[in-house]
Amino acid sequence: MKCMMMDGGMMGGGMMIAMGLVWLLIVAVLVLAAIALVKYIRSDSGK
């Protein structure tokens, strides 16, 4: 059991960095989508 934990710990660093990058990408996409939605709503109400 300890051997598996050690192996998981060594790969955990890379996995945590990868997960961080994935979350950063998701947050960036959500922010851009929110900005696009606000711009769309504003331009739509201006007509």
Side-chain angles (χ1 to χ4, degrees), residues 4-44:
M4 286 177 70
M5 292 287 279
M6 289 294 283
D7 287 341
M10 286 181 181
M11 284 193 58
M15 291 284 282
M16 294 232 341
I17 291 171
M19 284 298 289
L21 289 174
V22 168
W23 275 112
L24 196 64
L25 190 66
I26 290 170
V27 169
V29 167
L30 287 175
V31 168
L32 289 172
I35 292 169
L37 185 65
V38 168
K39 282 189 176 183
Y40 174 74
I41 288 171
R42 282 190 176 175
S43 69
D44 210 31

